[in-house]
Amino acid sequence: MIGPVAYRLKLSQELSRVHNVFHVCNLKKCLSDDTLVIPLEEIQLDDKLNFVEEPVEIMDREVKQLKQSRIPIIKVRWNARRGPEYTWEREDQFKSKYPHLFENPPAPTTS
């Protein structure tokens, strides 16, 4: 404790980029659950210490019909550490950011 509302925590070397002083309102009691533990070497962080999650594959495609337009959307599977995570994204915006996912288009389905 370094004051009435701040604590300095001893962090491991792997967390050396994390500031070690915390205001008490940011600290919460934690009950450990070993099934949720993620090895630190598997976590990717950017320069601002945000989790980096990358898209893995495109799972599905749809066209969203609005009053006067049609918007192609895709269902994307992410490499989230808390388990499979899927989101619907606008295809045009996603393609400009992650063009490598569009290099091998899916084969057309036949009926």
Side-chain angles (χ1 to χ4, degrees):
M1 188 162 133
I2 63 172
V5 294
Y7 283 85
R8 176 170 288 132
L9 302 180
K10 183 176 181 181
L11 302 174
S12 66
Q13 181 61 33
E14 295 142 333
L15 297 174
S16 63
R17 295 174 46 197
V18 176
H19 196 284
N20 66 345
V21 177
F22 296 85
H23 190 276
V24 293
C25 70
N26 293 323
L27 300 175
K28 293 184 172 59
K29 182 177 181 178
C30 176
L31 300 175
S32 178
D33 181 350
D34 291 339
T35 64
L36 300 175
V37 172
I38 301 168
L40 286 174
E41 61 273 4
E42 292 183 18
I43 297 174
Q44 296 177 351
L45 301 173
D46 63 15
D47 292 339
K48 296 182 180 178
L49 299 179
N50 294 316
F51 288 108
V52 176
E53 294 181 341
E54 292 291 324
V56 175
E57 65 180 317
I58 297 170
M59 304 296 295
D60 197 4
R61 286 181 159 78
E62 287 184 10
V63 175
K64 191 76 170 175
Q65 180 68 49
L66 301 177
K67 288 183 180 182
Q68 297 184 9
S69 62
R70 297 167 49 93
I71 301 173
I73 58 174
I74 55 174
K75 184 178 183 181
V76 178
R77 182 170 65 92
W78 296 85
N79 70 340
R81 292 292 167 209
R82 58 195 165 274
E85 184 173 305
Y86 304 89
T87 60
W88 285 95
E89 308 286 341
R90 282 186 51 158
E91 185 172 344
D92 57 343
Q93 294 173 349
F94 205 79
K95 191 172 188 175
S96 65
K97 191 169 183 182
Y98 302 103
H100 65 280
L101 291 175
F102 295 84
E103 290 172 358
N104 296 321
T109 57
T110 58
S111 9

